[in-house]
Amino acid sequence: MIEEVLAAAAGAAAVFAVYAGAAARVVKQYERGVVFRFGRLRDDVRSPGFTMIVPFVDRLRKVNMQIVTMPVPAQEGITRDNVTVRVDAVVYFKVVDPADAVVRVEDYKFAVSQMAQTSLRSIIGKSDLDDLLSNREKLNQGLELMLDSPAMGWGVAIDRVEIKDVSLPETMKRSMARQAEADRERRARVINADAELQASKKLAEAAGVMSAEPAALQLRLLQTVMAVSAEKNSTLVLPIPVELLRFLERATPTGAAEAAPAEQGQITAPLSEAYLKGRAAAEESVEDLTGTSVEPSPRESDR
């Protein structure tokens, strides 16, 4: 009798163990469990932790509640200003209603991917090239609104949409580069002209100061000589302004100016007489060498 009881208890324990193994389920923290009984959705969604279902009657499907990062393949389209571009993006979304995500759409990830590609092509056709390059925040918001409307019916919430890259044709890149270069050259010329205008005003002020003080021009000349000599040049060309010569002429006394020509005449007179005597001697020596009446030397007569 005891053996039969023990055998029955062992059989019941084995059946319970098999039942528990078939009915026990574990739902992770980032998941939710949706139960179907005979193919019909149960109202209660199983929370994270240990849970039990009826074996062979219920079927538990787990839904991931984490934010999904889905890259959108590059889509080629023509902008509103007739430029062909390729744009790719990334979509961040998550499931907010597990029951709708399982029941209302066959594969919510595939549905969101296809909707993102279609919306991206639509955004490309409605936007200009400048908006795609510089005003992406507005385009991201518009793309998010286009995706969020149908996704809410699938139990999915769009968290964020970002346009990653915009690929342009090579001809368009070269045209934009030329445009940027021309704009920078224009700004450089404007800045250079403004600098010349400011420099001319300062030079005009400096000229007014130097005209009032002639010594300032001489000091400026000496500063220029010092700046040039610092470069270790072998030749230095120094222009002497006419104002400096006039200043020296006015500073020279009258007596010294009159004595200078007299002394110069006394010095140049002996020099001119010596020059004439030397020239006469040279002419006589030339006549002796070129004349026809030159007698032969004694050695030539002996021969």
Side-chain angles (χ1 to χ4, degrees), residues 33-292:
V34 180
V35 179
F36 291 90
R37 178 166 295 176
F38 294 110
R40 188 172 182 176
L41 177 67
R42 300 283 297 175
D43 295 335
D44 56 334
V45 177
R46 303 300 172 89
S47 58
F50 181 80
T51 185
M52 297 287 291
I53 61 174
V54 179
F56 309 107
V57 176
D58 295 341
R59 185 170 62 88
L60 179 67
R61 183 171 177 179
K62 300 177 182 179
V63 180
N64 192 340
M65 304 295 290
Q66 291 177 316
I67 295 178
V68 180
T69 303
M70 177 179 294
V72 181
Q75 302 296 314
E76 185 172 355
I78 301 176
T79 61
R80 192 166 57 181
D81 50 355
N82 298 325
V83 179
T84 303
V85 295
R86 289 178 60 88
V87 182
D88 56 352
V90 59
V91 180
Y92 301 90
F93 66 94
K94 62 180 179 180
V95 177
V96 293
D97 192 342
D100 289 343
V102 173
V103 175
R104 292 182 178 274
V105 63
E106 181 180 1
D107 187 352
Y108 65 90
K109 292 184 179 180
F110 181 75
V112 171
S113 176
Q114 294 299 314
M115 180 60 67
Q117 296 179 31
T118 305
S119 301
L120 184 58
R121 285 194 297 268
S122 178
I123 285 291
I124 293 173
K126 295 178 180 179
S127 305
D128 294 332
L129 180 61
D130 294 337
D131 294 336
L132 289 175
L133 296 177
S134 60
N135 196 11
R136 294 189 181 182
E137 292 295 332
K138 183 178 179 181
L139 297 180
N140 292 337
Q141 294 176 1
L143 189 58
E144 182 178 351
L145 290 175
M146 294 178 67
L147 290 175
D148 195 46
S149 298
M152 288 300 296
W154 304 335
V156 178
I158 303 299
D159 186 72
R160 193 172 184 180
V161 182
E162 293 287 342
I163 295 177
K164 292 171 57 178
D165 188 22
V166 178
S167 300
L168 299 175
E170 293 297 329
T171 55
M172 181 58 64
K173 290 181 180 180
R174 289 194 293 268
S175 299
M176 295 177 65
R178 289 196 300 268
Q179 180 183 0
E181 183 179 359
D183 183 66
R184 290 182 180 274
E185 185 177 357
R186 179 185 60 84
R187 286 187 290 176
R189 290 182 178 180
V190 171
I191 293 173
N192 190 16
D194 190 14
E196 291 292 340
L197 178 60
Q198 296 179 7
S200 63
K201 292 181 180 179
K202 295 298 181 182
L203 289 175
E205 295 177 3
V209 175
M210 289 183 180
S211 62
E213 297 291 338
L217 182 62
Q218 179 66 16
L219 293 176
R220 184 57 183 162
L221 178 61
L222 294 177
Q223 291 178 357
T224 305
V225 172
M226 292 178 61
V228 174
S229 61
E231 299 295 332
K232 297 181 181 180
N233 296 324
S234 59
T235 304
L236 177 62
V237 179
L238 180 62
I240 299 177
V242 179
E243 289 79 3
L244 179 60
L245 297 178
R246 292 176 180 174
F247 175 75
L248 295 176
E249 182 180 358
R250 288 194 300 267
T252 304
T254 309
E258 293 177 354
E263 294 177 358
Q264 184 177 2
Q266 293 176 0
I267 294 173
T268 55
L271 292 176
S272 60
E273 293 177 359
Y275 173 73
L276 295 174
K277 290 180 180 181
R279 184 174 180 181
E283 291 177 355
E284 291 178 359
S285 62
V286 171
E287 290 178 358
D288 293 339
L289 292 175
T290 58
T292 56

